PDB file of all heavy atoms in Angstrom:
ATOM      1  N   LYS A  29      27.908 -51.690 153.598  1.00  0.00           N
ATOM      2  CA  LYS A  29      27.216 -50.568 154.216  1.00  0.00           C
ATOM      3  C   LYS A  29      28.217 -49.545 154.741  1.00  0.00           C
ATOM      4  O   LYS A  29      28.031 -48.352 154.608  1.00  0.00           O
ATOM      5  CB  LYS A  29      26.326 -51.086 155.347  1.00  0.00           C
ATOM      6  CG  LYS A  29      25.136 -50.188 155.587  1.00  0.00           C
ATOM      7  CD  LYS A  29      24.020 -50.980 156.225  1.00  0.00           C
ATOM      8  CE  LYS A  29      22.831 -50.079 156.515  1.00  0.00           C
ATOM      9  NZ  LYS A  29      21.902 -50.741 157.415  1.00  0.00           N
ATOM     10  N   PHE A  30      29.303 -50.058 155.322  1.00  0.00           N
ATOM     11  CA  PHE A  30      30.379 -49.187 155.810  1.00  0.00           C
ATOM     12  C   PHE A  30      30.856 -48.254 154.712  1.00  0.00           C
ATOM     13  O   PHE A  30      30.944 -47.057 154.874  1.00  0.00           O
ATOM     14  CB  PHE A  30      31.580 -50.050 156.251  1.00  0.00           C
ATOM     15  CG  PHE A  30      31.776 -50.068 157.721  1.00  0.00           C
ATOM     16  CD1 PHE A  30      31.336 -51.144 158.466  1.00  0.00           C
ATOM     17  CD2 PHE A  30      32.394 -49.022 158.360  1.00  0.00           C
ATOM     18  CE1 PHE A  30      31.520 -51.175 159.839  1.00  0.00           C
ATOM     19  CE2 PHE A  30      32.586 -49.044 159.726  1.00  0.00           C
ATOM     20  CZ  PHE A  30      32.144 -50.123 160.475  1.00  0.00           C
ATOM     21  N   MET A  31      31.178 -48.836 153.530  1.00  0.00           N
ATOM     22  CA  MET A  31      31.722 -48.050 152.441  1.00  0.00           C
ATOM     23  C   MET A  31      30.688 -47.083 151.905  1.00  0.00           C
ATOM     24  O   MET A  31      30.987 -45.942 151.590  1.00  0.00           O
ATOM     25  CB  MET A  31      32.205 -48.960 151.304  1.00  0.00           C
ATOM     26  CG  MET A  31      33.364 -49.854 151.676  1.00  0.00           C
ATOM     27  SD  MET A  31      34.883 -48.914 151.946  1.00  0.00           S
ATOM     28  CE  MET A  31      35.454 -48.758 150.251  1.00  0.00           C
ATOM     29  N   ALA A  32      29.437 -47.552 151.816  1.00  0.00           N
ATOM     30  CA  ALA A  32      28.383 -46.704 151.269  1.00  0.00           C
ATOM     31  C   ALA A  32      28.194 -45.458 152.130  1.00  0.00           C
ATOM     32  O   ALA A  32      27.854 -44.398 151.640  1.00  0.00           O
ATOM     33  CB  ALA A  32      27.077 -47.493 151.177  1.00  0.00           C
ATOM     34  N   LEU A  33      28.489 -45.595 153.400  1.00  0.00           N
ATOM     35  CA  LEU A  33      28.353 -44.443 154.286  1.00  0.00           C
ATOM     36  C   LEU A  33      29.554 -43.518 154.202  1.00  0.00           C
ATOM     37  O   LEU A  33      29.595 -42.481 154.836  1.00  0.00           O
ATOM     38  CB  LEU A  33      28.186 -44.921 155.738  1.00  0.00           C
ATOM     39  CG  LEU A  33      26.847 -45.593 156.049  1.00  0.00           C
ATOM     40  CD1 LEU A  33      26.870 -46.232 157.422  1.00  0.00           C
ATOM     41  CD2 LEU A  33      25.711 -44.580 155.948  1.00  0.00           C
ATOM     42  N   GLY A  34      30.535 -43.923 153.418  1.00  0.00           N
ATOM     43  CA  GLY A  34      31.694 -43.066 153.240  1.00  0.00           C
ATOM     44  C   GLY A  34      32.661 -43.141 154.409  1.00  0.00           C
ATOM     45  O   GLY A  34      33.480 -42.270 154.604  1.00  0.00           O
ATOM     46  N   VAL A  35      32.573 -44.180 155.207  1.00  0.00           N
ATOM     47  CA  VAL A  35      33.478 -44.334 156.344  1.00  0.00           C
ATOM     48  C   VAL A  35      34.724 -45.063 155.864  1.00  0.00           C
ATOM     49  O   VAL A  35      34.637 -46.083 155.208  1.00  0.00           O
ATOM     50  CB  VAL A  35      32.793 -45.147 157.467  1.00  0.00           C
ATOM     51  CG1 VAL A  35      33.744 -45.359 158.626  1.00  0.00           C
ATOM     52  CG2 VAL A  35      31.535 -44.439 157.916  1.00  0.00           C
ATOM     53  N   THR A  36      35.900 -44.525 156.177  1.00  0.00           N
ATOM     54  CA  THR A  36      37.126 -45.142 155.677  1.00  0.00           C
ATOM     55  C   THR A  36      37.564 -46.257 156.609  1.00  0.00           C
ATOM     56  O   THR A  36      38.668 -46.274 157.122  1.00  0.00           O
ATOM     57  CB  THR A  36      38.259 -44.115 155.581  1.00  0.00           C
ATOM     58  OG1 THR A  36      38.567 -43.694 156.908  1.00  0.00           O
ATOM     59  CG2 THR A  36      37.872 -42.946 154.751  1.00  0.00           C
ATOM     60  N   THR A  37      36.684 -47.178 156.830  1.00  0.00           N
ATOM     61  CA  THR A  37      36.970 -48.228 157.793  1.00  0.00           C
ATOM     62  C   THR A  37      36.645 -49.584 157.207  1.00  0.00           C
ATOM     63  O   THR A  37      35.630 -49.759 156.557  1.00  0.00           O
ATOM     64  CB  THR A  37      36.111 -48.014 159.056  1.00  0.00           C
ATOM     65  OG1 THR A  37      36.356 -46.710 159.543  1.00  0.00           O
ATOM     66  CG2 THR A  37      36.439 -49.019 160.117  1.00  0.00           C
ATOM     67  N   LEU A  38      37.554 -50.517 157.398  1.00  0.00           N
ATOM     68  CA  LEU A  38      37.269 -51.884 157.019  1.00  0.00           C
ATOM     69  C   LEU A  38      36.651 -52.562 158.223  1.00  0.00           C
ATOM     70  O   LEU A  38      37.277 -52.613 159.285  1.00  0.00           O
ATOM     71  CB  LEU A  38      38.573 -52.622 156.710  1.00  0.00           C
ATOM     72  CG  LEU A  38      39.023 -52.792 155.274  1.00  0.00           C
ATOM     73  CD1 LEU A  38      40.334 -53.555 155.284  1.00  0.00           C
ATOM     74  CD2 LEU A  38      37.997 -53.501 154.442  1.00  0.00           C
ATOM     75  N   GLY A  39      35.451 -53.077 158.106  1.00  0.00           N
ATOM     76  CA  GLY A  39      34.856 -53.773 159.236  1.00  0.00           C
ATOM     77  C   GLY A  39      35.468 -55.154 159.369  1.00  0.00           C
ATOM     78  O   GLY A  39      35.336 -55.971 158.484  1.00  0.00           O
ATOM     79  N   PHE A  40      36.197 -55.408 160.440  1.00  0.00           N
ATOM     80  CA  PHE A  40      36.728 -56.751 160.675  1.00  0.00           C
ATOM     81  C   PHE A  40      35.787 -57.470 161.609  1.00  0.00           C
ATOM     82  O   PHE A  40      35.852 -57.298 162.825  1.00  0.00           O
ATOM     83  CB  PHE A  40      38.122 -56.695 161.287  1.00  0.00           C
ATOM     84  CG  PHE A  40      39.218 -56.563 160.271  1.00  0.00           C
ATOM     85  CD1 PHE A  40      40.418 -55.966 160.617  1.00  0.00           C
ATOM     86  CD2 PHE A  40      39.058 -57.024 158.976  1.00  0.00           C
ATOM     87  CE1 PHE A  40      41.433 -55.847 159.683  1.00  0.00           C
ATOM     88  CE2 PHE A  40      40.056 -56.913 158.053  1.00  0.00           C
ATOM     89  CZ  PHE A  40      41.250 -56.311 158.396  1.00  0.00           C
ATOM     90  N   GLY A  41      34.869 -58.257 161.018  1.00  0.00           N
ATOM     91  CA  GLY A  41      33.877 -58.944 161.832  1.00  0.00           C
ATOM     92  C   GLY A  41      34.532 -59.807 162.905  1.00  0.00           C
ATOM     93  O   GLY A  41      34.049 -59.906 164.022  1.00  0.00           O
ATOM     94  N   ALA A  42      35.685 -60.411 162.546  1.00  0.00           N
ATOM     95  CA  ALA A  42      36.326 -61.348 163.473  1.00  0.00           C
ATOM     96  C   ALA A  42      37.507 -60.696 164.173  1.00  0.00           C
ATOM     97  O   ALA A  42      38.433 -61.357 164.595  1.00  0.00           O
ATOM     98  CB  ALA A  42      36.778 -62.583 162.719  1.00  0.00           C
ATOM     99  N   GLY A  43      37.475 -59.389 164.295  1.00  0.00           N
ATOM    100  CA  GLY A  43      38.614 -58.664 164.867  1.00  0.00           C
ATOM    101  C   GLY A  43      39.016 -59.174 166.244  1.00  0.00           C
ATOM    102  O   GLY A  43      40.189 -59.419 166.506  1.00  0.00           O
ATOM    103  N   LYS A  44      38.046 -59.368 167.115  1.00  0.00           N
ATOM    104  CA  LYS A  44      38.338 -59.804 168.485  1.00  0.00           C
ATOM    105  C   LYS A  44      38.975 -61.178 168.479  1.00  0.00           C
ATOM    106  O   LYS A  44      39.960 -61.439 169.138  1.00  0.00           O
ATOM    107  CB  LYS A  44      37.051 -59.848 169.304  1.00  0.00           C
ATOM    108  CG  LYS A  44      36.878 -58.609 170.153  1.00  0.00           C
ATOM    109  CD  LYS A  44      35.669 -58.718 171.040  1.00  0.00           C
ATOM    110  CE  LYS A  44      35.373 -57.355 171.645  1.00  0.00           C
ATOM    111  NZ  LYS A  44      33.985 -56.978 171.571  1.00  0.00           N
ATOM    112  N   MET A  45      38.387 -62.030 167.658  1.00  0.00           N
ATOM    113  CA  MET A  45      38.888 -63.390 167.599  1.00  0.00           C
ATOM    114  C   MET A  45      40.327 -63.413 167.085  1.00  0.00           C
ATOM    115  O   MET A  45      41.181 -64.109 167.613  1.00  0.00           O
ATOM    116  CB  MET A  45      38.007 -64.191 166.644  1.00  0.00           C
ATOM    117  CG  MET A  45      37.643 -65.551 167.189  1.00  0.00           C
ATOM    118  SD  MET A  45      36.317 -66.272 166.235  1.00  0.00           S
ATOM    119  CE  MET A  45      37.118 -66.629 164.705  1.00  0.00           C
ATOM    120  N   ALA A  46      40.583 -62.572 166.056  1.00  0.00           N
ATOM    121  CA  ALA A  46      41.917 -62.573 165.459  1.00  0.00           C
ATOM    122  C   ALA A  46      42.978 -62.226 166.496  1.00  0.00           C
ATOM    123  O   ALA A  46      44.012 -62.878 166.565  1.00  0.00           O
ATOM    124  CB  ALA A  46      41.974 -61.582 164.302  1.00  0.00           C
ATOM    125  N   SER A  47      42.723 -61.219 167.341  1.00  0.00           N
ATOM    126  CA  SER A  47      43.757 -60.864 168.312  1.00  0.00           C
ATOM    127  C   SER A  47      43.812 -61.897 169.437  1.00  0.00           C
ATOM    128  O   SER A  47      44.858 -62.125 170.010  1.00  0.00           O
ATOM    129  CB  SER A  47      43.558 -59.452 168.852  1.00  0.00           C
ATOM    130  OG  SER A  47      42.208 -59.170 169.021  1.00  0.00           O
TER     131      SER A  47
END
Side-chain angles (χ1 to χ4, degrees):
K29 207 155 178 194
F30 251 100
M31 295 291 277
L33 290 170
V35 178
T36 65
T37 305
L38 261 180
F40 275 153
K44 261 185 192 133
M45 224 166 70
S47 38

